[in-house]
Structure formats: structure tokens, C-alpha cells
Amino acid sequence: MLRAQLTQLLAASAMIVASLPVQAQTAVASKVISDQILPKDTFLYVSFPNVTQFKTFVTQSSLGKLWQDPALDAFKSEVQTAFENELDEGFAKFQENLGVSVEEFLQIPTGEVSFAFSGGPGNTMGAVIFLDFGDSEAVVQDLLDKAAGELSKAPKLALEDESFDGTELTMFRIQYPGQPPTPLAKEFGWFIKDQRLVISNRIELLQSALTNWEGEGESFKSNETYSYIMGRCQSAERSALTTVYFDPIGLFTKLVQTGSLGQQASMGAGMALGFLPTLGLTQLKAMGAVSEAGSGDFEAVSRSLIYADQPPTGLMRAMQLDQIEQAPPSWVKEDVHAYAAMKWKIGEAYEAVESIVDMFSGAGATADQLDRLAERPPGIHLKHDIIDQLTGELRFITAAGSAEGGGYGGDQILIALGVRDSQSAGDVLAKVAEQTGLETREFRGATVYEFNAPGAGQAIGVTISDGRMLICIGSTLLDQVLRNDSDMKPLAESEEYQRVAQHFPADALSVQFTRPAEQYRSMYEMVRSGTAAEQFPGSQEIFEKIDFTTLPPFETISKYIHPTGGYSVKDDNGVFMEAFQLKN
């Protein structure tokens, strides 16, 4: 039932969003954005700076063009007919309760929609929502009046109308027999000003927003970390379609300082807070990301940055990457769906963990414990036999699984770990296999150890070959890698990969390449064949309502789904990442 309801909701949302008109909002471009209003101490920020611009991008994107393709008309008609009664009933109830249609409701956001979690005046903190509604003030005010009327009937809510700096604030105080369990749950309210609705669970944050309404005072935008991340991730001022910022250490610290976790939890959290500098975690300042409409070869681009003080100390040393040889080896063939490569500084990671453990347990404690563990069967030393054997090189590939009887075979997944000595690594693996009773087979000079993991649906194979440990879910991909036949073109020589790889910088710490169309192909063909119900028990209702054979051939869909790529590079203040989707 839940799956059917979710499917109905997604289908309805897709039809509504696709049909929404895109309205020009020239005033949005000059409006003060929330990051110019919010306090400097903002710890979480998720923003659509311009919903109208975002709608335009979606409409003009490959996804938007796919939805508008006449080849989908028959299937869209199937979906609409299947849920017509439920949708009509649901939309009618929505309009009856709120006084506006679903379409009118979705047209309310016309400029910025943002959510933030910020520190406020007087050691306070809370959530803030900004929503620009353009010319829909009468509709928004009516909705708020109805909400206030219903909330006023709640016995534990007290309505208090207040005024600040000439603006009316609607506030609800939550009544408790004693103190509220957390300052975050004592009140909430909102105000309207300049075609914008602002909602918060702290009056101090509403007042702070009004005080800095013109964006002329100190604000989140002047936060050095946020400013740096935006400077690295945005191609131009206000070019972002979406913006995300998260300062986990700052948020946790403020939650403890304000008692927002509750009295009992705050005591334990306060003790944990004291250990963060020792662990080196206070070096992590924030993570931020921006998505933009692409230009040149790109349809869309997202850039992100993990900002951390340098050089890394404590556990931050365990997260370092080294420059990777990014080209796929010859055994990665052009039929794979995805390829990713990175090189982890595993030696430094071990040293970082060892130093932390020894700091609390005494010098040499880690080595002593590992020595004792190595005396037990199967007699493997974690440091000498495993960690010291690994080069840190990691390659990850996926490919289509085998679909027996026309079913959905799922993806095969292979992880290749670089090893320094194949013979030594093979001896270690043989010890593990003997201890656990794994089945073995010989293939192309390699001993393959296999087992069926519960829930995996495919056999898992492990082997050592040519300086790498191969771990594979799905036997055919592993065999293909071991054969490395020359009759199949390597991925590195394929046109799609080369179109993506030309955008990888030479000093990349990691790279990734995907062909989403090929990832979706087998699932799509199985659904379109009309046999999907057999593969997904419990979904019979949805497959009885919709004739999925009305879907167009996959070639109609695949032309809208383009290859994607991504990479990471070292930054003066952490790690910078970029991901992109190519144009056709």
C-alpha cells in the first residue's frame, strides 16, 4: 500500500511540475539573498536561490526534454488514467482544506527558498526558513491565517502577536508544566515582508533577520569559510541553482553550548566535545556544494569543497588521498557502466589511528594488541600481512549482471585493491579461505575463492592477480577481468570515456566515470517487457494498474541520458571536487 501511494505521489508531482509555467521574475535578481541576512554563525544552509531559474533549467534540461517527448505520451496517459480517481479526490481535498489548488500552491515559490540552522543573539540557535512568493501575498496570507486559526485551538499553544522594527510577528509559545525539554521547542512563528515569508522556531532569529534585512551588516556571507567555499564552487556571483553548506563541528558545539540537546544528553555531549581537538576533528571547518547549469561541453555541473585546516592532524590524517594514475587499466573494458579510481594514503591512515589509540592506552598498545591477535587462527597479522601489503590504490567498476530468463540480473560490482606482492597476498588469502572453508576454482592461472553472501543474490569471488586483489559480486565480470581478452576494447580507448576524461586534471586525487543509460537499460527493458511484477513481489498492484509495455524503446530514452564524470584535487584548504554531465 505504501509503495502504491508513493508511486501515485511521484507520478502526480511529475505531471504537475512538468506542466508549470515558468514565469519571469526580474525583481529576483536584485533581491537580497538569505546568506546576506542570516547570522555569521550559520551551521547548516540549503538554498534554492532562484526557484524560477531552477524551473527553467529543469524544463530545458535533458530530463525536461525527455518528459516532453511525444514518445512518452502513451505511457503518461496510462499513469494518469491509472490514478485519475485518486488524484482527483486528493487534489479536491487539498483545495477544500487550503482554499488553493495544488497547482496554485506549487506556483507560490517564485524566488528564493532556503533553510538554515543558525546561532542567534544571546546564546540562542534555531532553524530559519525563507520563502519568496512574488505576487502571491494574498494567497500566502490567507494560508497563514488559516494555519494560525487551527494552531490557536491547540491547548498547549499560546498565540502572541508582536511587533519588531515595524513588522508584525505571529508567535506561538509552547506551554509546558515546567521548563521545555530543549530551547529549540519553546516557540515558533513567522513574518511577511517584501514578498517574503520567514519562519523560525526562535524569535531572536526572526528579529535578527529584520535587523539585517537589507544585508548591510555582518552576515553569513561574511563567514570566511562559507565565503571561501562559495568562491571556489561558484563560477560567478549568484550562478548557483542550489547551494549546500554544513559545519558539523560548529553545529554540534553550538547545540552543546545552548543546551539544545536536553540536560541529560548535553552532559555526555559536553564530554565528547572536549575530545574533538585531540582527535583532530576540529580541523574540519565545513563542507559546501553548488550546482549550476553547465556551459560548453557540460549540461550541468556541481562543485564541492571539504574545508579543513592544513596540515591534517589526528584522525584527519586517515582521510588523505594521493595522486592517482587515473586511466583505466586495459582489463577495464568498454562495457562497464561505471569506473572510479583513487589512492588512499593507507600507511598514514594506520599511523594516525595507532597514535590515537596509543595516546589513550599507552605507547605500543596497538602493536601489542595486533601481535596477540596474530597468534590466533588463522595466524594473520593485521599490520604486517594486510595493511603493509596494500598500496592504497583502489579501483571500482560496475557492469551489467546476467539476466536469466529475461529477468533483471542486477549490477555486478568489482573492487580492485593494489597489493605490493602478489605471492604474499595470495598466501594470506589462502589462510583465510582455509579457515572459513571457502570454495575454490582455478581460472587463467588464478585461484578464485567463492561464497554466496546472504542477500547478495550473486556469488562473491575473491582472488589475487597481477598485483591486485579482486573482490567481485557476480562471477562473469571477474572472469572477464582475469581473461583481459584483446577482442574487447578497453574503456580508456572508448569515445565516451575520452570525452569525459579530457576534463580530468593531471593532478587528480580521484576520478569517476559513469554511463547512466547503461545502468538503467536492463531494469528499463525488464519493466517494459511486462514481466517486472515477477521480479518485485508485493508490487503487483502497480503493475496491474499500469501497462508498462506502452513505454517507448529504450533508445528513445537513452538519447537524453548522457555520460557523467567527476574528480577531486587537493586544495589549499582541503579537497575540491567537481562532477559534471556532458551534453549530447
Side-chain angles (χ1 to χ4, degrees):
M1 177 63 71
L2 178 60
R3 184 184 289 105
Q5 292 174 341
L6 178 59
T7 303
Q8 294 174 28
L9 176 62
L10 291 174
S13 300
M15 287 187 287
I16 291 170
V17 171
S19 65
L20 287 178
V22 178
Q23 304 170 1
Q25 297 289 330
T26 56
V28 170
S30 59
K31 198 165 189 175
V32 174
I33 299 297
S34 59
D35 63 1
Q36 300 171 263
I37 299 173
L38 287 163
K40 185 176 182 179
D41 290 335
T42 291
F43 310 105
L44 175 64
Y45 183 63
V46 180
S47 177
F48 292 81
N50 189 326
V51 172
T52 301
Q53 183 182 358
F54 184 80
K55 290 178 183 178
T56 302
F57 170 76
V58 172
T59 302
Q60 296 176 353
S61 69
S62 296
L63 180 62
K65 292 175 182 177
L66 167 61
W67 185 254
Q68 298 164 38
D69 193 317
L72 274 178
D73 287 349
F75 177 70
K76 288 191 287 188
S77 178
E78 270 289 315
V79 175
Q80 186 171 3
T81 301
F83 301 113
E84 188 170 14
N85 293 335
E86 292 95 330
L87 291 175
D88 288 346
E89 182 181 347
F91 291 166
K93 287 183 178 179
F94 185 94
Q95 185 160 1
E96 179 183 350
N97 292 332
L98 297 184
V100 296
S101 68
V102 173
E103 184 175 348
E104 290 171 333
F105 183 81
L106 291 175
Q107 286 180 321
I108 289 175
T110 54
E112 177 187 10
V113 177
S114 297
F115 170 84
F117 214 88
S118 306
N123 195 34
T124 60
M125 73 180 308
V128 191
I129 297 173
F130 291 79
L131 187 149
D132 290 342
F133 50 73
D135 298 329
S136 302
E137 182 164 351
V139 176
V140 172
Q141 188 62 64
D142 184 57
L143 290 171
L144 291 175
D145 289 343
K146 289 180 180 179
E150 291 300 315
L151 290 169
S152 297
K153 299 175 185 178
K156 293 185 179 182
L157 293 180
L159 173 62
E160 298 180 15
D161 290 323
E162 302 191 18
S163 178
F164 184 83
D165 200 19
T167 299
E168 297 299 318
L169 280 67
T170 299
M171 295 299 302
F172 284 89
R173 263 75 191 208
I174 305 173
Q175 308 299 305
Y176 294 97
Q179 292 294 318
T182 167
L184 299 176
K186 60 181 294 188
E187 63 189 5
F188 63 90
W190 60 77
F191 69 80
I192 284 179
K193 184 174 182 177
D194 296 339
Q195 300 184 333
R196 173 179 279 166
L197 169 65
V198 182
I199 306 171
S200 180
N201 62 337
R202 291 305 299 251
I203 190 172
E204 294 89 348
L205 288 171
L206 292 176
Q207 293 171 343
S208 173
L210 288 168
T211 299
N212 197 30
W213 192 249
E214 300 300 326
E216 297 175 349
E218 186 176 64
S219 67
F220 179 42
K221 191 174 183 180
S222 60
N223 180 304
E224 291 182 4
T225 304
Y226 173 74
S227 178
Y228 183 85
I229 291 175
M230 291 302 102
R232 288 287 282 121
C233 295
Q234 286 189 127
S235 61
E237 185 74 11
R238 295 198 179 190
S239 60
L241 294 171
T242 63
T243 300
V244 177
Y245 174 90
F246 183 39
D247 173 7
I249 305 301
L251 177 61
F252 180 64
T253 301
K254 193 67 174 180
L255 287 168
V256 174
Q257 292 174 344
T258 58
S260 296
L261 297 175
Q263 184 175 1
Q264 185 173 359
S266 291
M267 292 179 63
M271 294 179 62
L273 192 63
F275 286 109
L276 295 183
T278 302
L279 298 175
L281 297 180
T282 51
Q283 286 192 300
L284 177 61
K285 299 305 179 185
M287 300 168 280
V290 164
S291 67
E292 297 181 346
S295 60
D297 293 339
F298 301 154
E299 178 173 298
V301 181
S302 68
R303 304 182 191 90
S304 55
L305 189 135
I306 300 176
Y307 190 114
D309 289 339
Q310 302 297 313
T313 62
L315 290 179
M316 297 297 289
R317 292 179 59 204
M319 306 175 192
Q320 297 180 90
L321 299 179
D322 207 349
Q323 190 170 321
I324 184 68
E325 182 181 342
Q326 53 191 255
S330 62
W331 49 265
V332 181
K333 303 301 183 181
E334 67 174 344
D335 64 334
V336 304
H337 297 166
Y339 166 78
M342 59 181 285
K343 189 173 184 180
W344 182 28
K345 293 185 178 180
I346 189 169
E348 289 198 36
Y350 173 82
E351 291 175 4
V353 174
E354 181 182 44
S355 65
I356 294 295
V357 173
D358 288 358
M359 183 185 303
F360 292 103
S361 302
T366 304
D368 291 342
Q369 181 65 21
L370 294 182
D371 289 342
R372 287 194 294 271
L373 289 174
E375 294 173 359
R376 304 175 184 176
I380 295 174
H381 196 286
L382 178 63
K383 173 67 165 60
H384 304 320
D385 295 331
I386 298 179
I387 293 176
D388 288 349
Q389 274 293 326
L390 297 175
T391 65
E393 183 178 291
L394 169 65
R395 299 185 191 272
F396 174 92
I397 64 176
T398 66
S402 58
E404 298 180 1
Y408 174 57
D411 278 348
Q412 298 186 83
I413 301 171
L414 184 138
I415 300 172
L417 305 173
V419 296
R420 302 185 188 282
D421 186 292
S422 293
Q423 181 63 51
S424 298
D427 292 342
V428 172
L429 184 55
K431 287 183 180 180
V432 174
E434 183 180 0
Q435 181 72 22
T436 56
L438 297 181
E439 296 182 2
T440 65
R441 64 182 175 93
E442 297 297 321
F443 187 81
R444 294 293 180 96
T447 301
V448 180
Y449 303 91
E450 293 182 324
F451 62 98
N452 290 308
Q458 301 185 77
I460 298 178
V462 185
T463 190
I464 305 293
S465 175
D466 294 334
R468 56 187 183 265
M469 173 184 286
L470 303 175
I471 305 169
C472 185
I473 301 176
S475 59
T476 60
L477 179 57
L478 180 59
D479 289 356
Q480 175 179 299
V481 168
L482 292 173
R483 282 195 304 267
N484 192 16
D485 290 338
S486 59
D487 60 348
M488 183 177 292
K489 183 188 295 184
L491 176 65
E493 297 177 11
S494 71
E495 181 182 353
E496 284 186 318
Y497 176 79
Q498 290 177 357
R499 286 181 59 205
V500 169
Q502 65 178 320
H503 300 287
F504 295 157
D507 59 346
L509 301 177
S510 66
V511 296
Q512 63 184 50
F513 162 82
T514 59
R515 296 191 297 160
E518 295 309 311
Q519 290 179 314
Y520 306 150
R521 180 184 293 274
S522 59
M523 172 68 80
Y524 183 92
E525 296 289 11
M526 183 266 296
V527 170
R528 183 171 177 262
S529 71
T531 63
E534 303 170 7
Q535 302 290 325
F536 300 100
S539 302
Q540 191 69 31
E541 182 182 356
I542 184 70
F543 291 107
E544 289 178 351
K545 281 192 170 187
I546 299 176
D547 181 6
F548 283 92
T549 63
T550 58
L551 282 166
F554 186 70
E555 286 66 30
T556 303
I557 304 296
S558 62
K559 66 184 179 183
Y560 295 103
I561 308 174
H562 309 147
T564 66
Y567 64 85
S568 66
V569 293
K570 184 174 176 55
D571 182 85
D572 290 341
N573 292 296
V575 177
F576 172 83
M577 293 158 282
E578 179 173 280
F580 50 85
Q581 180 182 26
L582 295 181
K583 291 181 179 177
N584 193 10

